[in-house]
Amino acid sequence: MSRVAALLTRLVTLLGLVALGVLGPATAHAQSSPGALATGIHISDGRLVEGNGNDFIMRGVNHAHTWYPGETQSLADVKALGANTVRVVLSNGHRWTKNSAADVAAVVSQCKANRLICVLEVHDTTGYGEDAAAGTLDQAADYWIGLKDVLAGEENYVIVNIGNEPWGNTDPAGWTAPTIAAVKKLRNAGFEHTIMVDAPNWGQDWQGVMRANAQSVYDADATGNLIFSIHMYSVYDTAQEITDYLNAFVNAGLPILIGEFGGPPDQWGDPDEDTMMAAAQQLRLGYLAWSWSGNTDPILDLSIGFDPSRLSSWGQRIFNGANGIAQTSREATVFGGGNPGDTQAPTAPGTPTASAVTATSLTLAWTAATDNVGVTGYDVVRVSGGSETTVAASTTNTVAVTGLTADTTYTFAVYARDAAGNRSARSATVSVTTDEGGSTPGVGCSVGYRVVGEWPGGFQGEISIRNTGTTAISGWTLSFSFANGQTVTNMWGGTPTQNGGAVSVTPASYTSTIPAAGSVTVGFTGSKGATNTAPTAFRLNGSTCATT
């Protein structure tokens, strides 16, 4: 996971980004990979492609395997939610318990069994030069060489990410030479895999060292099969910063992806994940969200307690939101799906039906489509005259549509798609009028409140709202009171209204529906005085909730 340790002031950050060196003239392009050296997943004309030349765009998540080696079910869970890639945290034994060759072989086997491309990374290098406990890229390269017998022949399925965030904020210019040396060491040892390299500045490259030296690093790899990874957290809180950085690589013909990113704000800023995901989709670049579960700071957990049925608001955003995994992921063709020769579109889905209609949300379901290879997902569109707007995506034949307006008639239809990107004809439409509004009677709920972290004058909190009833709760309002003058200053997963100590929270579009026996999570930052007593009572749509 990225940190912005010892991050300079915002002004310095902005100046640093503005003053970055350029990659080279606009006409400079990375060399195409020599055909004879293209083994498995490789780089061609600045793009990541499969062995058959099919463009491969990573859509997936990071999984902290080295700290949670018993959570291997997570690979199947993220696949079921639509991911085509998983980045797996490993240790070479420098800082954490070493992942053995047998363990790594088992991880690769499970990735393949779940039809996932596997990015393997050594985490012990994180923050080298600033964090005294971090290892070197040279040590990481030695670890990979020790795994050569395990990884040889897996070039179609495995990408080697040499070391996670292998330089801190101290003298980040020192990143370039060790990165080149590690790449050459692996190539000299006979590795033919695509190699991924992370940026300095704890992965965020806010001083532009990777951006300025990317061409020289790329040129050091004789095979041309190298891809750069930028980690985007609170440094990237404006659309211009994000698009400028990504476009600099694309315009230079240098391959890049967003190897980690976060959305929830922290004490350093509020990452613009919407632009990250939209830009990645527009530029056809990969992204891998941090992270599935188990974070020390759980605001970045996509699932709560490794439970795929308990996605956090961050998880809902990544998997089911606009430009999210369910909507944009395509399975690698090496697994038999999405063959470029597959031109047959799925059949049209059945006419959708609506249920659980409230003032702001509803649930749609339809008869599944069929396909000669397999349906991988559905796109739900709102139809208005001759125009369409995508409002939701799903890997199953049901979806919750949120963010609607009360007492309004909407018309919806559904498309099916397969792994090759073939799209079905549109289903028949259904028109639905939302309710006029009002609370949901008989709500059963429990609320968990906790302080994630505190600092002088401020704190970060998290509220988990669980539906203990048998029907979905939609269009909810949560109310509670602070006793010590605390004030909510920023919130994700919901919108706060505060009058004195009394706080009322309404949902974001992606937290609007709480399924029966399910939950949503709302996070926030706030200001406080010397005392920060937790609220003791919560009401959801007027009903008192149990506390946990």
Side-chain angles (χ1 to χ4, degrees), residues 26-379:
T27 56
H29 290 279
Q31 297 176 353
S32 299
S33 307
L37 298 177
T39 301
I41 296 176
H42 61 281
I43 303 299
S44 177
D45 294 325
R47 303 285 306 166
L48 184 69
V49 300
E50 295 188 67
N52 60 9
N54 193 61
D55 214 27
F56 182 68
I57 302 172
M58 294 188 208
R59 288 289 182 267
V61 304
N62 288 263
H63 172 54
H65 172 73
T66 198
W67 303 308
Y68 301 96
E71 296 292 345
T72 53
Q73 174 62 32
S74 297
L75 300 180
D77 293 339
V78 299
K79 175 62 178 182
L81 289 164
N84 64 19
T85 305
V86 63
R87 181 172 179 257
V88 180
V89 177
L90 300 175
S91 172
N92 65 353
H94 179 85
R95 186 169 184 177
W96 295 286
T97 302
K98 181 178 180 179
N99 293 96
S100 67
D103 182 50
V104 175
V107 167
V108 172
S109 177
Q110 290 174 69
C111 283
K112 292 167 67 176
N114 287 292
R115 303 164 74 90
L116 290 163
I117 296 301
C118 207
V119 178
L120 303 176
E121 59 103 341
V122 167
H123 215 75
D124 306 66
T125 58
T126 306
Y128 179 79
E130 186 173 351
D131 190 333
T136 67
L137 279 170
D138 187 65
Q139 292 167 331
D142 286 340
Y143 175 72
W144 295 120
I145 291 170
L147 293 173
K148 186 179 177 184
D149 289 346
V150 169
L151 300 179
E154 301 293 351
E155 292 85 357
N156 275 309
Y157 308 98
V158 172
I159 293 172
V160 176
N161 188 178
I162 304 178
N164 181 69
E165 300 175 5
W167 214 275
N169 291 325
T170 303
D171 187 28
W175 165 91
T176 305
T179 300
I180 289 174
V183 170
K184 288 185 173 181
K185 192 169 191 175
L186 291 181
R187 293 304 185 209
N188 290 338
F191 275 75
E192 296 182 322
H193 304 72
T194 290
I195 291 175
M196 184 183 295
V197 295
D198 283 9
N201 295 126
W202 300 90
Q204 297 200 79
D205 200 31
W206 61 270
Q207 290 177 289
V209 171
M210 186 171 82
R211 179 173 171 175
N213 293 279
Q215 190 70 59
S216 63
V217 174
Y218 185 87
D219 291 343
D221 183 359
T223 73
N225 294 323
L226 183 143
I227 187 168
F228 297 93
S229 175
I230 182 67
H231 293 184
M232 289 186 165
Y233 292 93
S234 52
V235 165
Y236 295 91
D237 58 359
T238 70
Q240 184 171 355
E241 290 167 334
I242 295 162
T243 56
D244 282 355
Y245 195 93
L246 297 176
N247 276 301
F249 282 78
V250 172
N251 292 340
L254 289 166
I256 190 169
L257 82 155
I258 306 174
E260 285 185 22
F261 68 107
D266 55 31
Q267 58 265 47
W268 294 292
D270 185 359
D272 183 0
E273 70 276 15
D274 290 342
T275 296
M276 295 175 202
M277 297 167 72
Q281 182 65 11
Q282 179 186 8
L283 297 172
R284 297 178 60 77
L285 304 178
Y287 68 65
L288 304 171
W290 187 277
S291 77
W292 177 239
S293 199
N295 287 283
T296 304
D297 185 350
I299 65 167
L300 288 172
D301 280 358
L302 296 160
S303 67
I304 300 169
F306 295 93
D307 184 349
S309 70
R310 300 175 62 202
L311 293 182
S312 66
S313 55
W314 172 227
Q316 290 286 358
R317 174 70 189 89
I318 288 298
F319 286 103
N320 301 320
N323 299 304
I325 287 173
Q327 182 181 352
T328 65
S329 177
R330 302 291 182 268
E331 185 178 88
T333 60
V334 71
F335 296 116
N339 190 308
D342 176 15
T343 59
Q344 182 173 326
T347 62
T351 305
T353 58
S355 62
V357 180
T358 73
T360 60
S361 66
L362 53 86
T363 297
L364 293 175
W366 54 89
T367 302
T370 59
D371 184 66
N372 64 318
V373 176
V375 175
T376 58
Y378 297 90
D379 298 319

Side-chain angles (χ1 to χ4, degrees), residues 412-477:
F412 299 102
V414 184
Y415 291 92
R417 46 183 161 76
D418 63 20
N422 299 310
R423 202 182 197 199
S424 73
R426 196 175 78 185
S427 74
T429 61
V430 62
S431 293
V432 190
T433 302
T434 53
D435 291 346
E436 294 182 359
S439 62
T440 302
V443 168
C445 53
S446 65
V447 174
Y449 177 96
R450 71 188 189 96
V451 173
V452 175
E454 292 189 73
W455 54 92
F459 71 107
Q460 180 177 311
E462 180 182 86
I463 305 170
S464 178
I465 310 166
R466 175 164 286 277
N467 178 1
T468 59
T470 58
T471 59
I473 300 172
S474 300
W476 52 265
T477 299

